[in-house]
Amino acid sequence: KRENLQIQENLGNISSITGISSFGKMMKNKKLSESDLLARILAGAETIPPLVVRRRLELQAGDRADARVELGLADAATVWRFVVEAKAQSTPLAVQNAVTQARALAKGDELSMILVPYLSPERVVELEREGVSGIDLCGNGVVIVPGQLYLSRSGQPNLYPESRPLINPYRGRSSMVVRMVLSRRRWETLKDLAEAVAKAGCGLSLSQVSKAVQALQEDLIVSKREGGITLLEPVRLLDRIGDAWRKPELSGTRLLRLPPGTDWARALGSVSGLRWAVTGESSARNYTALGEGGPLRVAVDDLARAAGALGGEEEAVPAFADIELRVTDDPGTYFQVEEDVAGRRWASRIQCWLELQAGDARQQQAAGEVRAQILREVGP
C-alpha cells in the first residue's frame, strides 16, 4: 500500500497525465509489480482515448478484485463499471489467467477488464474473441461494452520486454528441448524428456530442460500437470521453431571427387568421435521424392579428419564433385539424426523441413510434405 501511495504521489507531480505514455516513460526501466500497474488506474487517466477513468471505487473488506473502476467517454455522462485484474507479466498464460479471474470476480452488471504491461496484436485479438476488455502500459488494448461501445488499438511497441527463463527457447541449444517435445504428445516426467534430449545428441542439464518447458508453458504450447508434460499446440510450436530458425554458420567447406565405389557413410562412421550428418537439404531424398542435383552435402565438425577418411581429390567445380563437406557446430544439424541400414545418417525431419522451407519453390513444396509428416507423427 505504501508503495502504491508513493507511485500515486509521483504521478500527481506530473503536470499532464496522458495515462499510458507518461506512466510508460516513468516506469520503462523499473521492474513492474501489480501495484505499479494498478497505480495507472487513477481518476482522469486515459485507458484508450477518448475513454477515461471517471472513478476508482473503494474495495470492501474481503474483496479479491485488484480494482473496480468506472470508465466513461471524456465528454459524455454515461459510465460503465469494470472489475480489473492486473498481472505483472504479459505472457499468454498470464493473460489467460487474468481473463479467468476477471470473469470470476465480476458482479452484477460489471464488465471484466485485464491490465498487463503489454498486449501484443495476437493477445488483443484473443481478448476480442473472449469478449473481455484489456489495456496495457504501451497504448494497446480493447474495451468492449456489448451493444454500446467498442474501442481497439494495437501495434504500439513493447516497452516492457519479458524477463523470461530463456532469451529464446526456440533457438540454439535449448531449442533441442522444443524439438524433442514435438516428437510425441506426452512425456511422463521432466527427467524422461531430459534423457531423450541427451540420447538424441544434445546434453543439457535438468535445469535447462525445465526452463525450456516453463517457457513453452508460458506460451500455452504445453501443459504441465501431475509431473507430466503434454503438448497442446504442435502446429503453433512448429511455426515458432520455423520463425526462430537461422541457417547454420559454416566455418569451412570442401568439395571432393571420391574413388569409384567409395562407401562414404562407412568411411565417415569409422572416424571415432566425429560428428557428421547429411544436411537437411540433402536429406530431402530420404523423406520425399525431391531429387537434388549436385554433390551430396554432409555436415561435419572436423574437416581434416572427415576429408582424410573419405580420400578422393579436391574439386573446384560443384557439378563434378560427389560430396561437399560443410563444417559446423550447429546443434540442430546433428540432433535426432535417423541412421538407415547402410549407416547413412540423415538429418531429422525437423532439420530437413527447416532447411527446405528456406529454399527455392521446389524445396518449399517438399518442405510442405515433410511438415505434414512431422505433424502426423505427433498424432491428433
Side-chain angles (χ1 to χ4, degrees), residues 252-259 262-278 296-314 323-328 334 345:
T253 63
R254 184 174 296 177
L255 292 165
L256 294 174
R257 269 191 302 168
L258 303 180
T262 299
D263 188 338
W264 56 268
R266 182 186 295 273
L268 292 173
S270 68
V271 183
S272 177
L274 177 71
R275 287 198 302 168
W276 67 273
V278 178
L296 181 77
R297 296 177 176 89
V298 179
V300 298
D301 67 350
D302 189 318
L303 181 57
R305 296 175 70 208
L310 289 169
E313 297 179 7
E314 192 166 348
I323 198 166
E324 179 183 356
L325 297 178
R326 295 187 166 192
V327 187
T328 180
Y334 309 108
R345 299 178 188 175

Side-chain angles (χ1 to χ4, degrees), residues 44-161:
E46 289 180 344
T47 53
I48 300 176
L51 198 66
V52 298
V53 180
R54 290 291 183 80
R55 185 161 64 111
R56 181 168 173 175
L57 306 175
E58 185 175 346
L59 298 179
Q60 302 300 314
D63 193 341
R64 294 186 295 112
D66 288 332
R68 297 184 189 274
V69 298
E70 290 181 348
L71 305 182
L73 299 175
D75 299 324
T78 303
V79 296
W80 300 279
R81 287 194 174 188
F82 286 83
V83 58
V84 179
E85 180 66 26
K87 295 292 181 186
Q89 288 187 308
S90 305
T91 64
L93 181 60
V95 170
Q96 183 186 71
N97 289 340
V99 167
T100 300
Q101 292 167 14
R103 280 176 165 165
L105 292 168
K107 297 179 180 178
D109 61 352
E110 272 187 332
L111 300 164
S112 302
M113 174 179 284
I114 71 167
L115 174 61
V116 295
Y118 172 69
L119 286 170
S120 67
E122 184 181 6
R123 301 286 85 74
V124 171
V125 170
E126 288 176 359
L127 289 173
E128 291 174 343
R129 187 166 55 243
E130 295 284 344
V132 173
S133 299
I135 58 174
D136 67 10
L137 302 183
C138 305
N140 305 296
V142 59
V143 179
I144 304 169
V145 180
Q148 299 181 55
L149 177 71
Y150 173 85
L151 292 173
S152 180
R153 188 183 187 194
S154 65
Q156 298 301 306
N158 183 7
L159 301 177
Y160 309 95

Side-chain angles (χ1 to χ4, degrees), residues 13 19 24 81 117 163 231 303 333:
N13 293 329
R81 287 194 174 188
S163 175
L231 176 59
L303 181 57
T333 300

Side-chain angles (χ1 to χ4, degrees), residues 167-372:
I167 294 176
N168 189 341
Y170 305 102
R171 188 179 298 170
R173 287 172 57 82
S174 297
S175 69
M176 301 305 105
V177 178
V178 177
R179 295 191 188 193
M180 185 57 70
V181 166
L182 193 57
S183 67
R184 73 188 201 206
R185 279 286 181 172
R186 179 173 171 81
W187 297 86
E188 294 304 321
T189 67
L190 193 67
K191 183 180 178 183
D192 291 339
L193 176 59
E195 289 175 349
V197 171
K199 186 176 180 181
C202 185
L204 295 173
S205 68
L206 195 62
S207 174
Q208 289 172 306
V209 175
S210 178
K211 288 178 180 178
V213 171
Q214 182 183 343
L216 294 179
Q217 189 177 11
E218 290 289 339
D219 285 344
L220 298 179
I221 288 175
V222 304
S223 66
K224 190 178 178 184
R225 296 177 182 173
E226 299 175 357
I229 301 161
T230 303
L231 176 59
L232 303 176
E233 297 282 353
V235 173
R236 190 148 62 93
L237 179 53
L238 199 56
D239 288 342
R240 290 289 181 89
I241 296 172
D243 291 341
W245 184 76
R246 300 292 181 272
K247 288 186 177 181
E249 293 185 4
L250 303 180
S251 57
T253 63
R254 184 174 296 177
L255 292 165
L256 294 174
R257 269 191 302 168
L258 303 180
T262 299
D263 188 338
W264 56 268
R266 182 186 295 273
L268 292 173
S270 68
V271 183
S272 177
L274 177 71
R275 287 198 302 168
W276 67 273
V278 178
T279 67
E281 184 181 4
S282 284
S283 291
R285 67 193 69 185
N286 191 50
Y287 303 117
T288 73
L290 179 66
E292 287 289 307
L296 181 77
R297 296 177 176 89
V298 179
V300 298
D301 67 350
D302 189 318
L303 181 57
R305 296 175 70 208
L310 289 169
E313 297 179 7
E314 192 166 348
E315 176 59 62
V317 182
F320 296 152
D322 297 305
I323 198 166
E324 179 183 356
L325 297 178
R326 295 187 166 192
V327 187
T328 180
D329 288 324
D330 173 62
T333 300
Y334 309 108
F335 189 71
Q336 292 178 308
V337 295
E338 297 191 14
E339 187 169 337
D340 63 19
V341 293
R344 294 170 293 193
R345 299 178 188 175
W346 303 103
S348 70
R349 276 183 171 82
I350 291 179
Q351 184 68 23
C352 179
W353 169 70
L354 289 170
E355 294 188 27
L356 291 177
Q357 61 148 7
D360 59 29
R362 290 176 63 252
Q363 291 174 324
Q364 289 176 18
Q365 184 176 2
E369 296 179 35
V370 180
R371 177 188 172 94

